[in-house]
Amino acid sequence: KAALELGLPVLQPANLNDPEFISRLKELNPDIIAVVAFRMLPGEVWSIPPKGCINLHASLLPLYRGAAPINHAIMNGEEVTGLTTFFIEKEIDTGKVLLQRKVAIGPHETAGELHDRLMVEGAGLLDETIDGVLYDKLTPVAQDQLIPDNKNELPVAPRIYRDDCRIDWERSCYEIFNFIRGLSPFPAAWSTLFEDGSEKTTLKIFFASAEGKSHNTFPGNIVTDNESYIHIACGEGVIAVKSLQTAGRKRLDTREFLRGCSFGNSAFLK
């Protein structure tokens, strides 16, 4: 919208290999191309600008290469992540690094909240990178030189599908807490609600807290007063649900949810 208001050309190709699109890009004769939150570019595109094609990635590469770095960093319980600008090469997220910026992850921060912070930080880093590349002020660094000493195996960030978001209640409450906030608000951690032995609905959890207290029930069992709290037993500890949604209803906090929905003694999640 901003580009159109400024009278700048906007290309929106359905196919990045479209010869007409590539021809128009070449006519623009760009010195540099910057890519943010986009599909993988074909070589014929990223090889056009003489100064190179740079990408902004929401992790400290080579950590968390892939489509969902913000989600996976939180799901893995990381306390620090960051932003990286790098030159695009054939293999995805492997090009030489230009600039990096570390960003702390809040102890209760969700993927959506972290995304919004990184979006602002990333704009500044990308601006700094473009200036540095155009005026030859940066020295690109190979990613294998940036591998932390304490990382024997690099964590990755593959695309997340619906089945990947199903909660395993056998895990500890702290692992599940990170899992939930790492998928909130989208695509959202979910579980299947059972009552009286039959499947009732899908339940999504957007926010929760981890309570390390012990319990004497099975993982996935729902304990609630049907007024003010919903606790779910985990393999170790308990998850206290703060915000949730069932199929066909809007997202609600726990108290609002329980005003219109109650759980029987046999209710559990799986």
Side-chain angles (χ1 to χ4, degrees), residues 102-125:
K102 289 185 178 181
V103 176
I105 301 175
H108 301 282
E109 194 165 27
T110 65
E113 291 166 341
L114 180 57
H115 168 275
D116 290 350
R117 286 204 299 125
L118 292 177
M119 180 172 60
V120 176
E121 290 273 354
L125 188 67

Side-chain angles (χ1 to χ4, degrees), residues 189-208:
W190 64 275
S191 197
T192 302
L193 173 64
F194 290 82
E195 208 162 7
D196 298 324
S198 61
E199 182 177 325
K200 293 296 183 181
T201 187
T202 297
L203 187 147
K204 293 181 177 180
I205 301 176
F206 298 94
F207 197 71

Side-chain angles (χ1 to χ4, degrees), residues 218-239:
F218 60 90
N221 190 40
I222 296 174
V223 179
T224 177
D225 62 356
N226 280 321
E227 290 183 7
S228 60
Y229 70 86
I230 300 172
H231 290 174
I232 305 170
C234 307
E236 177 187 322
V238 169
I239 281 292

Side-chain angles (χ1 to χ4, degrees), residues 6 33 35 46 60 85 94 98 111 122 124 138 146 183 198 207 245 247 249 260 269:
L6 293 168
I33 289 178
V35 180
W46 58 258
L60 296 172
T85 52
T94 60
L98 295 161
L138 300 177
L146 299 172
L183 294 169
S198 61
F207 197 71
Q245 179 183 25
R249 299 183 67 187
L269 295 169

Side-chain angles (χ1 to χ4, degrees), residues 23-185:
S23 176
R24 291 192 65 189
L25 262 186
K26 289 179 177 178
E27 288 173 7
L28 290 171
N29 193 30
D31 294 304
I32 189 170
I33 289 178
V35 180
V36 182
F38 204 62
R39 291 169 287 170
M40 188 173 177
L41 292 177
E44 194 170 1
V45 171
W46 58 258
S47 60
I48 289 174
K51 288 286 188 177
C53 187
I54 60 175
N55 183 224
L56 172 68
H57 187 78
S59 80
L60 296 172
L61 290 174
L63 307 181
Y64 294 103
R65 291 172 176 155
I70 297 174
N71 305 91
H72 284 283
I74 294 178
M75 289 161 68
N76 287 344
E78 300 283 8
E79 296 180 355
V80 175
T81 185
L83 295 154
T84 301
T85 52
F86 65 98
F87 281 123
I88 290 179
E89 295 180 2
K90 185 176 181 180
E91 298 298 323
I92 192 165
D93 296 339
T94 60
K96 289 185 176 181
V97 168
L98 295 161
L99 289 175
Q100 289 191 319
R101 183 171 295 165
K102 289 185 178 181
V103 176
I105 301 175
H108 301 282
E109 194 165 27
T110 65
E113 291 166 341
L114 180 57
H115 168 275
D116 290 350
R117 286 204 299 125
L118 292 177
M119 180 172 60
V120 176
E121 290 273 354
L125 188 67
L126 186 61
D127 187 49
E128 186 180 343
T129 302
I130 292 172
D131 181 73
V133 171
L134 286 176
Y135 297 102
D136 299 316
K137 295 188 291 186
L138 300 177
T139 302
V141 179
Q143 290 193 28
D144 59 8
Q145 297 181 37
L146 299 172
I147 298 174
D149 293 336
N150 62 341
K151 295 290 184 181
N152 296 322
E153 187 175 339
L154 295 177
V156 294
R159 188 176 302 280
I160 296 172
Y161 298 94
R162 184 178 185 276
D163 286 348
D164 300 324
C165 303
R166 187 166 193 157
I167 301 169
D168 177 5
W169 295 105
E170 297 282 350
R171 299 171 71 186
S172 76
C173 62
Y174 302 106
E175 291 175 305
I176 293 173
F177 166 69
N178 289 332
F179 186 80
I180 289 169
R181 67 192 184 100
L183 294 169
S184 178

